[in-house]
Amino acid sequence: MSTSDQDQSVDTPIAALDSDTNGTETDVEADAEVEEAVAGDRRLTPRQARRLRIVLSSVGMAAMAVVLALRIASRSSVLVVGVYGLALILCGIVIELSRNGRTRLGSWLLAVGLVAAIGSDWLLIP
């Protein structure tokens, strides 16, 4: 017995979630969803935010693929492939970040990356 075990009485109840060291992320997500529902806020739950970022990244990836195909048809350039290839890779990274719960970082990367890709297309590619 450790010192902290000796300080507690035998009749002290143990909290289920605090003592559960194998608590999963879904338990925390479920608790967050319940708290949001009880509070009455109309904000997105973490799961909904992740799904939204994944959908937005997928749409961005499809749009970049279409623009890449159109740009290659009009001008076959390594710079075109580089710019839009990096944008496609960025969209894939954002999808993975969103799946792992890094939605804010993914949102910033998606916004900055897509603006940078469009800006570099406008500035660099003749």
Side-chain angles (χ1 to χ4, degrees):
M1 282 187 126
S2 67
T3 324
S4 62
D5 292 338
Q6 293 172 355
D7 293 338
Q8 293 179 352
S9 68
V10 177
D11 297 335
T12 304
I14 299 173
L17 188 56
D18 292 338
S19 66
D20 184 16
T21 57
N22 296 329
T24 60
E25 186 177 321
T26 56
D27 294 338
V28 175
E29 290 173 359
D31 291 341
E33 289 177 3
V34 169
E35 289 175 10
E36 289 293 326
V38 170
D41 290 343
R42 292 293 180 180
R43 296 179 357 175
L44 295 175
T45 64
R47 179 174 289 157
Q48 290 171 336
R50 264 187 251 127
R51 286 183 182 159
L52 178 66
R53 276 15 170 252
I54 289 171
V55 167
L56 289 176
S57 298
S58 300
V59 168
M61 186 179 280
M64 288 297 142
V66 168
V67 172
L68 175 63
L70 293 174
R71 294 291 286 177
I72 287 177
S74 66
R75 282 191 192 99
S76 182
S77 171
V78 175
L79 193 56
V80 170
V81 174
V83 167
Y84 288 104
L86 287 175
L88 288 170
I89 292 170
L90 177 73
C91 289
I93 290 171
V94 171
I95 290 171
E96 281 301 311
L97 285 172
S98 296
R99 287 182 62 223
N100 292 324
R102 303 289 181 200
T103 55
R104 289 185 194 141
L105 176 63
S107 298
W108 281 105
L109 278 177
L110 184 64
V112 170
L114 293 180
V115 167
I118 293 169
S120 62
D121 179 25
W122 183 62
L123 291 174
L124 298 176
I125 301 171

